[in-house]
Amino acid sequence: MSEKPASTIDPGVRIGHVHLKVADLERAVPFYRDILGFEETYRRPGAVFMSAGGYHHHIALNTWESRGGQPPAPGTTGLYHIAILYPTRRLLADALRRLIDAGIPLDGASDHGVSEALYLRDFDDNGVELYWDRPREEWPRDESGGIKMKTEPLNLRDLLAELETEVA
């Protein structure tokens, strides 16, 4: 007898890796490797696979259909951004420091109540969100207990101050 599917997706389901079409691997790889700090795990013709912590890959960059191509025009469909989750606020602050040191501009920085996020573009104009989640018990809730997200400016000086505090 087959198991009846659940009405909602199992909470253990996760979104795994992302493949990004890029125009030039030698231009794209330094952004993810040298600036964000991902490690190259595997390379094959037309593709580079990268990870955090030795996983097979979190991000793959490929030119299989896009070598020499242009970013999609505004007003077209496609990927809005990839989101990279940092485990702590301090590590998000370190990512911000890396971006500043590399001269990478931000498109925005927001406090969403449940998370704090930095928004930017990679060298192929792909949207990238770098964020950390606050502990669930700190998430803002409405009167019925539902999540009440917001979008307010993120204080970048306050975020960078995380790097000045001693790690226990």
Side-chain angles (χ1 to χ4, degrees):
M1 182 175 216
S2 65
E3 190 175 328
K4 182 180 175 188
S7 60
T8 60
I9 197 165
D10 185 276
V13 171
R14 298 285 182 262
I15 295 175
H17 57 266
V18 62
H19 278 249
L20 294 175
K21 295 189 291 186
V22 300
D24 180 341
L25 284 174
E26 300 316 312
R27 181 185 69 186
V29 168
F31 177 83
Y32 291 93
R33 183 192 60 212
D34 304 338
I35 297 170
L36 295 185
F38 283 90
E39 298 172 295
E40 190 173 317
T41 58
Y42 179 67
R43 188 179 277 255
R44 60 178 280 196
V48 175
F49 298 78
M50 309 182 95
S51 86
Y55 186 64
H56 56 80
H57 72 287
H58 291 102
I59 296 173
L61 307 171
N62 73 64
T63 57
W64 299 326
E65 299 173 357
S66 56
R67 180 174 282 119
Q70 298 296 314
T76 59
T77 61
L79 182 70
Y80 186 71
H81 68 233
I82 64 168
I84 300 169
L85 175 62
Y86 287 77
T88 66
R89 189 171 197 258
R90 183 179 180 85
L91 288 171
L92 181 63
D94 181 65
L96 175 57
R97 181 197 49 80
R98 289 169 172 258
L99 295 172
I100 291 168
D101 290 350
I104 304 294
L106 294 179
D107 288 346
S110 298
D111 179 346
H112 295 298
V114 298
S115 64
E116 293 179 322
L118 307 172
Y119 298 96
L120 57 137
R121 303 219 152 261
D122 72 7
F123 297 151
D124 283 281
D125 207 31
N126 292 306
V128 178
E129 175 185 355
L130 309 178
Y131 75 106
W132 85 285
D133 278 337
R134 287 188 171 94
R136 285 182 185 235
E137 60 273 8
E138 295 178 17
W139 290 2
R141 302 282 178 173
D142 61 24
E143 42 298 328
S144 64
I147 297 170
K148 188 176 180 182
M149 292 179 64
K150 63 182 181 177
T151 300
E152 295 178 355
L154 177 61
N155 183 328
L156 297 179
R157 282 196 171 95
D158 183 59
L159 179 59
L160 287 170
E162 288 286 324
L163 299 175
E164 298 167 11
T165 61
E166 185 97 13
V167 176

